[in-house]
Amino acid sequence: MGLRFIFMLTRDDKTVDDAEQHLETALAEGIRHIGFKDVGLPIGRLQTLNQRIKDSGATSYLEVVSLDKESEVRSAKVAIEIGVDILMGGTNAPAVLPLLEEIGIQYYPFPGDITGHPSVLEGSIAEIVASAKKLAALEGVHGLDLLAYRSTGDVKSLMTSVCEAVDKPVIIAGSIHNKGRIAEVQAAGSSAFTIGTAALDGNYPATGKDIRSQLRAITRDVSEINDHTRRLQGEL
């Protein structure tokens, strides 16, 4: 299957006001994994975004950046109400899991100690790995949402350690803005990664700063990295 690119309609951990416009560009470019955050737009517009994503045949993601239990539960209820495919983020799995029983939404919470907004991952590699293993062992947790590049330690070691410690998919989210980091994510064993701000701000290395050029550069780089890995594995 290879590494997946999830395009987030977000900047600085908030869904952007012109998300609908960027969504149409992404769909026209063949992007099939698209997400947004639980803050930035009213529920009605998030619901419209989600429906458009799903009607196109793409997979929808809602990433929770609320860190207190009460707010996170509200966000999980929003995810259920609007019918997203995958709920990412959050730090209160025991409170969220009962809400998702028999709903069909996949759940990828944050391992480690998450603080601030935009979110920052704190703690040692050993502490984050321990958190990841504990979360991955929970029934109803389908994978993990790791804010690797928002930690202060050895990011490559952190990603590799978490991916090796759990038998569920790991998505790397936050602060990925070039091909080198995508290659690091792939080499660590992650299943997917997100890019939002870098593409929306035109900061990913590309022929242009417009969102179409940005998405084309990212998808090209992902394809090249996946093809290189397949060649090394003798699949091409």
Side-chain angles (χ1 to χ4, degrees):
M1 183 175 181
L3 185 69
R4 299 193 318 275
F5 162 45
I6 304 167
F7 176 43
M8 297 297 291
L9 301 165
T10 63
R11 178 185 288 108
D12 297 330
D13 279 353
K14 293 182 180 180
T15 302
V16 294
D17 189 56
D18 50 357
E20 292 89 350
Q21 174 186 340
H22 296 311
L23 172 59
E24 293 306 317
T25 302
L27 292 174
E29 289 300 314
I31 306 299
R32 289 297 175 261
H33 296 271
I34 303 173
F36 43 87
K37 301 292 175 77
D38 60 330
V39 294
L41 293 182
I43 294 177
R45 287 182 65 187
L46 294 181
Q47 188 164 23
T48 300
L49 280 175
N50 183 72
Q51 193 60 52
R52 177 71 179 107
I53 293 169
K54 298 186 73 168
D55 285 348
S56 74
T59 301
S60 65
Y61 300 72
L62 185 149
E63 186 172 43
V64 175
V65 293
S66 305
L67 300 179
D68 65 277
K69 184 167 67 173
E70 183 178 343
S71 297
E72 189 171 330
V73 166
R74 283 201 302 269
S75 295
K77 290 179 178 179
V78 168
I80 294 168
E81 179 181 344
I82 68 178
V84 298
D85 294 308
I86 297 176
L87 176 63
M88 299 169 58
T91 59
N92 293 279
V96 171
L97 281 170
L99 302 175
L100 301 179
E101 289 182 2
E102 301 181 6
I103 296 295
I105 295 176
Q106 294 189 27
Y107 181 41
Y108 286 64
F110 289 135
D113 185 16
I114 309 297
T115 62
H117 189 87
S119 303
V120 174
L121 173 60
E122 298 185 347
S124 67
I125 290 179
E127 290 169 335
I128 297 168
V129 167
S131 171
K133 292 171 71 173
K134 184 177 180 180
L135 285 171
L138 296 174
E139 184 177 356
V141 169
H142 297 82
L144 301 174
D145 184 8
L146 180 64
L147 293 173
Y149 288 101
R150 294 190 185 176
S151 66
T152 57
D154 184 334
V155 173
K156 288 191 283 187
S157 293
L158 171 61
M159 292 191 294
T160 300
S161 297
V162 170
C163 290
E164 290 180 347
V166 301
D167 60 359
K168 294 180 179 179
V170 177
I171 296 173
I172 306 297
S175 303
I176 296 173
H177 50 65
N178 57 47
K179 186 177 181 179
R181 287 197 169 181
I182 296 174
E184 290 175 355
V185 166
Q186 198 277 342
S190 301
S191 65
F193 68 96
T194 68
I195 292 182
T197 301
L200 293 173
D201 287 353
N203 291 330
Y204 193 91
T207 57
K209 291 185 175 295
D210 60 288
I211 193 64
R212 180 171 284 104
S213 297
Q214 294 282 299
L215 294 176
R216 287 180 178 178
I218 295 167
T219 54
R220 177 203 64 214
D221 288 348
V222 172
S223 179
E224 289 178 356
I225 290 167
N226 282 332
D227 285 348
H228 177 69
T229 300
R230 293 189 185 102
R231 281 193 294 271
L232 291 177
Q233 295 173 345
E235 297 178 10
L236 288 181

